[in-house]
Amino acid sequence: MKKRQVTDTILRMDRVIYRGERKRIRRDEVSSVGNLFNSLFAKITLLAISIFLFYNVAHSIKITVQRLDILKRAEMEVDSLRLKNLELDLLLSSMQSKEYLEVQARDRLNFTGEKEYVFVIPDSLLKEKEKDLNRILYGQEEKKEEKGYEVWKDFFFDGV
């Protein structure tokens, strides 16, 4: 065999090993790559890429936090809707009873049972009597309308 071959073949007793063509790196090639990273342009480029990547990571974290907040609010809304659904289900089951229908008929349609009487009182009369009740219980009196000059006169002379 030749002393220097492009491909090496080694014969052994039980097998053959083939090693393909190897590319050898020279020292001057290694130093040129090292010089590339020592240049100002390469440093600025690597710094810009690092800043860009850092910005993208920070932006991704911000978006993730916002999405987690949206998820928490959605979960709370789902929980509240489930509770409301349960309440409505219980209300529906109670509305289907005969007692509920009887109470609603009495309240809304002014129906009565045996030995019961219905009194209908107009809303205007209720409001008027509510004012009287407040005056009696809490000492609240209705403010009488005073003319402008009377208010100023009371303010200057009485301090009220």
Side-chain angles (χ1 to χ4, degrees):
M1 293 170 81
K2 291 183 183 178
K3 204 174 194 186
R4 197 164 198 209
Q5 286 183 336
V6 177
T7 58
D8 295 330
T9 305
I10 300 174
L11 293 173
R12 294 193 179 170
M13 288 186 185
D14 58 341
R15 62 180 182 217
V16 174
I17 299 174
Y18 173 74
R19 295 188 181 135
E21 185 177 320
R22 293 184 183 176
K23 183 177 180 182
R24 300 177 193 256
I25 300 175
R26 296 180 299 188
R27 287 188 178 191
D28 59 341
E29 289 177 354
V30 172
S31 64
S32 67
V33 172
N35 289 338
L36 175 69
F37 288 110
N38 289 332
S39 72
L40 181 63
F41 176 73
K43 289 179 180 179
I44 291 173
T45 304
L46 289 174
L47 181 65
I49 290 171
S50 299
I51 290 171
F52 176 73
L53 291 175
F54 180 74
Y55 171 77
N56 282 336
V57 167
H59 187 66
S60 297
I61 290 171
K62 179 182 172 186
I63 289 173
T64 304
V65 167
Q66 288 174 348
R67 288 184 179 169
L68 287 174
D69 186 43
I70 290 170
L71 179 66
K72 284 180 186 177
R73 281 188 270 139
E75 286 175 349
M76 289 173 52
E77 185 178 353
V78 165
D79 289 341
S80 69
L81 289 174
R82 283 184 181 156
L83 285 174
K84 185 165 182 144
N85 192 15
L86 262 170
E87 290 173 4
L88 290 174
D89 191 32
L90 291 173
L91 184 62
L92 178 65
S93 62
S94 70
M95 285 181 170
Q96 293 173 344
S97 68
K98 287 184 179 182
E99 294 83 19
Y100 180 81
L101 292 176
E102 184 179 335
V103 168
Q104 291 300 316
R106 288 179 182 200
D107 289 346
R108 293 184 182 182
L109 304 174
N110 296 328
F111 286 169
T112 61
E114 292 181 25
K115 297 183 182 179
E116 292 182 347
Y117 300 102
V118 175
F119 294 97
V120 179
I121 303 171
D123 289 335
S124 60
L125 186 61
L126 283 174
K127 289 179 184 177
E128 182 180 320
K129 295 307 170 187
E130 183 180 355
K131 290 178 187 176
D132 290 341
L133 183 64
N134 285 335
R135 183 175 45 83
I136 292 169
L137 292 177
Y138 305 114
Q140 298 175 351
E141 293 200 26
E142 294 181 22
K143 292 185 178 180
K144 57 183 178 179
E145 290 190 29
E146 298 182 23
K147 298 191 179 188
Y149 68 89
E150 292 176 351
V151 173
W152 281 106
K153 183 185 84 165
D154 289 342
F155 177 72
F156 282 119
F157 294 113
D158 299 333
V160 181

